[in-house]
């Protein structure tokens, strides 16, 4: 299964992608994580991306499209994957469509985590406050606000793009994390009936 998780920063895409990875054997492909690794390793791509990411802007399309096209060729991606943070604009989405068509395949679904802007701003302010001096250079209030603006201007048009292709499924991203996981599985038709896997994953009953 090939999925995209779509939603603004702070909507919980990373958390949900990790859960789907553990429970369903899909790999999480996060361009943000890959770019942070490139910055940490000081690669050419890392050098291009570092300042752009710290400001909350988008890294050039050819860079992220190149990263993803190589990554989905890796053997562990053969079982299926969840794209987290890619595509971020229509040009990237078109490049992805082309990439997949070239391999004779297509996306199964795009899951949008719907989140109210006011609540999101609160969440990202909390995250900025909690992570002062933390591992992410872009978790300051200014960069987060910029990322939210970039989301609305460049990424949100993907909702209409995938709706027109009949791929879009929307879940309520404002519910608690476990409920969001259940909703995602329900819209994808991959709910686990056997055992209580969610309580195993979260340690909660
Ligand atoms: P994320 O971890 O997905 O929030 O991404 C962190 C930052 O990495 C973003 O604010 C962008 O600067 C950059 N980034 C991640 N994915 C992409 C992408 N698909 N296109 C352009 N920039 C990206």
């Amino acid at each position: 299964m090939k999925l995209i998780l779509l939603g603004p920063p702070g909507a919980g895409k990373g958390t949900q992608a990790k859960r789907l990875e553990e429970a369903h054997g899909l790999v999480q492909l996060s361009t943000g994580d890959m770019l942070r690794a490139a910055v940490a390793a000081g690669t050419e791509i890392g050098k291009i991306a570092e300042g752009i990411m710290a400001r909350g802007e988008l890294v050039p399309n050819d860079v992220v499209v190149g990263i993803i096209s190589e990554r989905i060729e890796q053997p562990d991606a053969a079982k299926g994957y969840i794209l987290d943070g890619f595509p971020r604009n229509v040009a990237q989405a078109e490049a992805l469509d082309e990439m997949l068509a070239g391999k004779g395949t297509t996306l199964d679904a795009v899951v949008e985590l719907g989140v109210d802007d006011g609540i999101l701003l609160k969440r990202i302010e909390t995250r900025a406050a909690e992570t002062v001096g933390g591992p992410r250079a872009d978790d300051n209030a200014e960069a987060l606000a910029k990322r939210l603006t970039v989301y609305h201007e460049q990424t949100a048009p993907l909702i209409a793009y995938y709706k027109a292709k009949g791929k879009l499924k929307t879940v309520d991203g404002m519910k608690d994390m476990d409920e969001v996981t259940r909703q995602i599985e329900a819209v994808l038709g991959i709910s686990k009936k056997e055992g209580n896997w969610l309580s195993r994953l979260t340690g909660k009953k």
Side-chain angles (χ1 to χ4, degrees):
M1 184 176 280
K2 296 175 208 70
L3 303 176
I4 293 175
L5 279 188
L6 189 62
K13 298 188 297 293
T15 304
Q16 296 300 334
K18 285 207 171 65
R19 287 178 164 204
L20 294 174
E21 180 172 67
E22 276 193 51
H24 301 284
L26 304 167
V27 287
Q28 174 195 15
L29 304 184
S30 156
T31 39
D33 286 350
M34 294 175 212
L35 290 166
R36 279 184 288 278
V39 171
T43 64
E44 279 310 306
I45 285 178
K47 284 180 196 140
I48 298 170
E50 189 166 13
I52 300 172
M53 291 173 75
R55 289 193 297 276
E57 294 165 5
L58 292 187
V59 170
N61 290 339
D62 55 344
V63 172
V64 286
V65 169
I67 290 178
I68 283 293
S69 66
E70 278 178 27
R71 187 61 187 84
I72 62 175
E73 294 296 334
Q74 301 301 309
D76 65 336
K79 289 179 289 184
Y81 46 81
I82 310 146
L83 295 171
D84 162 12
F86 180 92
R88 275 289 220 282
N89 58 31
V90 171
Q92 291 180 17
E94 287 170 350
L96 177 65
D97 284 344
E98 251 178 61
M99 221 185 277
L100 294 177
K103 292 158 67 70
T105 181
T106 180
L107 286 168
D108 293 280
V110 178
V111 179
E112 179 206 357
L113 303 183
V115 182
D116 175 273
D117 252 14
I119 291 178
L120 197 64
L121 269 171
K122 277 218 183 69
R123 273 196 204 169
I124 62 181
E125 278 165 8
T126 309
R127 185 153 119 188
E130 280 169 355
T131 55
V132 173
R136 283 190 62 159
D138 59 352
D139 258 350
N140 60 75
E142 203 182 318
L144 281 166
K146 176 71 184 173
R147 284 162 63 203
L148 200 53
T149 308
V150 169
Y151 175 79
H152 283 295
E153 288 176 0
Q154 302 202 42
T155 312
L158 294 180
I159 295 169
Y161 179 89
Y162 287 118
K163 199 179 220 170
K165 290 183 184 285
K167 302 270 184 199
L168 190 78
K169 317 226 181 246
T170 301
V171 302
D172 183 352
M174 288 179 292
K175 293 277 194 280
D176 73 56
M177 274 189 253
D178 295 354
E179 177 56 24
V180 176
T181 307
R182 283 191 201 96
Q183 283 192 15
I184 294 174
E185 294 184 323
V187 297
L188 294 175
I190 56 168
S191 302
K192 289 228 163 173
K193 297 203 171 52
E194 79 289 354
N196 194 351
W197 70 269
L198 189 59
S199 66
R200 261 188 287 119
L201 263 181
T202 59
K204 279 190 258 163
K205 286 267 141 53

